[in-house]
């Protein structure tokens, strides 16, 4: 069964360092997302990406965050200068249809980011 | 503001019993609702969804009920099994947005 894969599974970084989280969405999907989950809290939307551009972003997704689809398979989330409060599990998701058109999101297993 | 929440943070049931997990939402403009299951160390997994033009939808062992009058959503799991133990989240979507707004989650524990 096709699945969304994420790397690394866990990354520890120093505050102020740049981090890139990588995702390989399901191959025929067109919509890509990043969500995050701070330990013990609910899953929060960060950004959606379609047709090589951001289609929607939350207030969390400030200038320190960026996303890119550098080739036909990878989808990356970059945090330019990490803060302690960026420590969370970051989930990538993809779908073949827009959520608003009842597109089912398939989530990866997440990348745990720990900022020291 | 937007808010999707759950009445109970934990639910413990006996194997074979039926489980009911509840969710309240406050955004009356939301028109699409999804239940997700999250097992330990994994990402959320789609269980079942429902659009606002319906009040009930059934899947395999799961049923979602939507009461728009009181802005309430529930997930019913029939004959709960140990493999159903997980955290369950409801999520809502407002038409035109790509964003899912998740609730806080209910941890379901199934006792053998």
């Amino acid at each position: 069964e096709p699945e969304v894969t994420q790397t690394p599974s866990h990354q520890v970084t120093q505050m102020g360092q740049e981090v890139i989280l990588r995702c390989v969405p399901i191959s025929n999907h067109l919509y890509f997302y990043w969500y995050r989950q701070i330990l013990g809290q609910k899953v929060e939307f960060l950004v959606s990406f379609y047709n090589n551009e951001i289609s929607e972003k939350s207030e969390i997704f400030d200038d320190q965050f960026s996303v890119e689809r550098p080739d036909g398979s990878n989808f990356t989330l970059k945090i330019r200068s990490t803060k302690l409060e960026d420590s969370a599990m970051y989930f990538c998701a993809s779908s073949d249809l827009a959520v608003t058109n009842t597109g089912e999101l398939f989530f990866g297993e997440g990348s745990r980011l720990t900022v020291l | 503001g937007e808010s999707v929440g759950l009445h109970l943070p934990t639910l413990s049931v006996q194997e074979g019993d039926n489980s009911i997990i509840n969710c309240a939402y406050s955004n009356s403009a939301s028109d699409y609702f999804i239940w997700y299951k999250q097992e330990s160390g994994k990402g959320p997994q789609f269980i079942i969804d429902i659009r606002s033009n319906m009040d009930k939808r059934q899947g395999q062992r799961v049923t979602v009920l939507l009461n728009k009058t009181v802005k309430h959503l529930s997930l019913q799991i029939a004959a709960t099994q140990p493999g159903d133990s997980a955290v369950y989240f409801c999520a809502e979507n407002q038409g035109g947005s790509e964003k899912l707004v998740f609730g806080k989650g209910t941890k379901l524990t199934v006792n053998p």
Side-chain angles (χ1 to χ4, degrees):
Chain A
E1 185 176 319
E3 59 181 13
V4 175
T5 57
Q6 291 185 240
T7 54
S9 56
H10 189 193
Q11 181 155 356
V12 181
T13 190
Q14 295 292 323
M15 190 169 54
Q17 294 297 304
E18 177 182 282
V19 160
I20 297 176
L21 305 179
R22 303 179 192 281
C23 169
V24 179
I26 294 173
S27 62
N28 63 335
H29 284 185
L30 301 175
Y31 297 84
F32 313 109
Y33 310 85
W34 283 100
Y35 283 79
R36 78 172 186 190
Q37 185 178 31
I38 295 171
L39 186 63
Q41 298 188 24
K42 54 187 176 181
V43 178
E44 301 175 291
F45 171 81
L46 291 178
V47 66
S48 60
F49 190 87
Y50 170 72
N51 199 25
N52 286 319
E53 61 182 20
I54 291 173
S55 50
E56 190 171 347
K57 61 182 181 179
S58 73
E59 58 274 11
I60 301 169
F61 195 88
D62 62 21
D63 292 344
Q64 293 301 310
F65 290 87
S66 62
V67 289
E68 194 177 31
R69 188 158 161 80
D71 51 40
S73 60
N74 290 284
F75 179 52
T76 62
L77 174 69
K78 182 193 288 187
I79 309 175
R80 265 181 269 282
S81 178
T82 50
K83 302 187 282 288
L84 295 176
E85 54 264 38
D86 293 329
S87 294
M89 182 73 89
Y90 288 80
F91 292 106
C92 174
S94 69
S95 66
D96 58 350
L97 295 172
V99 168
T100 195
N101 288 329
T102 328
E104 178 181 337
L105 262 64
F106 291 81
F107 284 84
E109 296 202 339
S111 292
R112 178 165 296 285
L113 176 65
T114 302
V115 183
L116 302 177
Chain B
E2 55 194 19
S3 173
V4 179
L6 294 157
H7 293 309
L8 293 173
T10 62
L11 176 65
S12 185
V13 300
Q14 291 299 121
E15 183 177 356
D17 286 352
N18 296 333
S19 302
I20 299 176
I21 300 171
N22 295 304
C23 178
Y25 65 95
S26 62
N27 185 0
S28 57
S30 292
D31 58 2
Y32 178 50
F33 305 88
I34 311 104
W35 280 101
Y36 284 91
K37 172 185 181 182
Q38 186 178 27
E39 296 176 272
S40 181
K42 296 192 174 182
Q45 179 184 8
F46 174 95
I47 301 173
I48 192 167
D49 60 359
I50 188 167
R51 296 212 75 95
S52 58
N53 61 350
M54 303 173 69
D55 53 22
K56 180 178 180 179
R57 190 154 187 241
Q58 288 185 289
Q60 187 177 11
R61 283 201 307 118
V62 293
T63 300
V64 55
L65 299 177
L66 176 64
N67 185 331
K68 294 181 287 294
T69 303
V70 295
K71 298 192 189 72
H72 184 268
L73 190 70
S74 69
L75 176 70
Q76 299 177 0
I77 305 173
T80 317
Q81 302 166 0
D84 295 326
S85 293
V87 177
Y88 290 81
F89 294 94
C90 62
E92 63 174 328
N93 173 256
Q94 179 176 339
S97 170
E98 281 301 303
K99 177 174 64 177
L100 291 179
V101 177
F102 282 79
K104 288 185 179 178
T106 292
K107 183 176 181 180
L108 175 66
T109 301
V110 182
N111 301 308

